[in-house]
Amino acid sequence: MCFDLAAVLRLAEAAAAARENTTRWEPGPVLNHPGFSVDAGPCLVLARDDGVHLMSTDKNAPRDADGRLPVCYASGFDPRSGDWWSRWNRTGLPGDDFGEYLEVIESGLLNDLRAAVERGYRCFVITLSEDDLSLNFERCIPTTPGEGLPDQ
């Protein structure tokens, strides 16, 4: 999945600068333990719910006029611009909603994003399988026919 690198960098910068981050659910240590919420820290969240997008864990991120948080949709996976669900089904990945947290400071991801922008890359690529997630950068952004760059 391809994301507009400049938009992803803005989200990562917001997560890194946030005074307060959202929480995430951690399962309990044993089967009958209810689990608990923990501070997510400065992260990007890769989410598949209504489309596929990245968002910041900045708890106080400014919302748009409709009350939505800033997100960056993967090219071809914005629910407002086509049949993203059919594209998702063609990936062969499960259809369940998910959220995968990508830590931005300690992992070095924020520095990698900045360096990629400086080197002229335009696309942040996340490759997913059921067991693995990999990150890469590309110079040009592939688009799905009839769609432009991912929304921010």
Side-chain angles (χ1 to χ4, degrees):
M1 287 173 270
C2 179
F3 297 86
D4 179 340
L5 178 57
V8 173
L9 178 57
R10 284 192 297 275
L11 292 172
E13 295 277 6
R19 292 183 186 191
E20 187 177 10
N21 293 293
T22 58
T23 59
R24 67 178 177 188
W25 184 254
E26 290 290 329
V30 294
L31 183 62
N32 292 329
H33 189 283
F36 46 90
S37 292
V38 296
D39 184 330
C43 296
L44 291 173
V45 182
L46 172 63
R48 197 219 71 105
D49 47 26
D50 189 20
V52 179
H53 61 271
L54 287 166
M55 58 190 274
S56 167
T57 54
D58 179 1
K59 189 171 187 174
N60 299 307
R63 296 175 182 260
D64 69 12
D66 295 324
R68 292 182 301 227
L69 291 168
V71 300
C72 176
Y73 284 99
S75 182
F77 292 92
D78 183 339
R80 299 169 295 174
S81 61
D83 186 13
W84 74 272
W85 184 248
S86 292
R87 282 189 273 296
W88 179 263
N89 286 337
R90 288 192 297 271
T91 68
L93 294 168
D96 298 335
D97 291 354
F98 68 83
E100 184 69 34
Y101 290 77
L102 309 173
E103 202 285 327
V104 297
I105 296 175
E106 291 178 17
S107 69
L109 179 57
L110 180 57
N111 289 335
D112 292 345
L113 293 166
R114 289 172 176 157
V117 167
E118 288 176 12
R119 292 183 184 123
Y121 289 94
R122 296 185 57 223
C123 187
F124 179 57
V125 179
I126 299 177
T127 305
L128 286 175
S129 71
E130 286 192 55
D131 303 318
D132 196 32
L133 178 145
S134 65
L135 310 175
N136 207 345
F137 301 100
E138 292 182 3
R139 295 210 182 272
C140 59
I141 297 179
T143 58
T144 302
E147 291 190 1
L149 297 176
D151 293 309
Q152 301 171 26

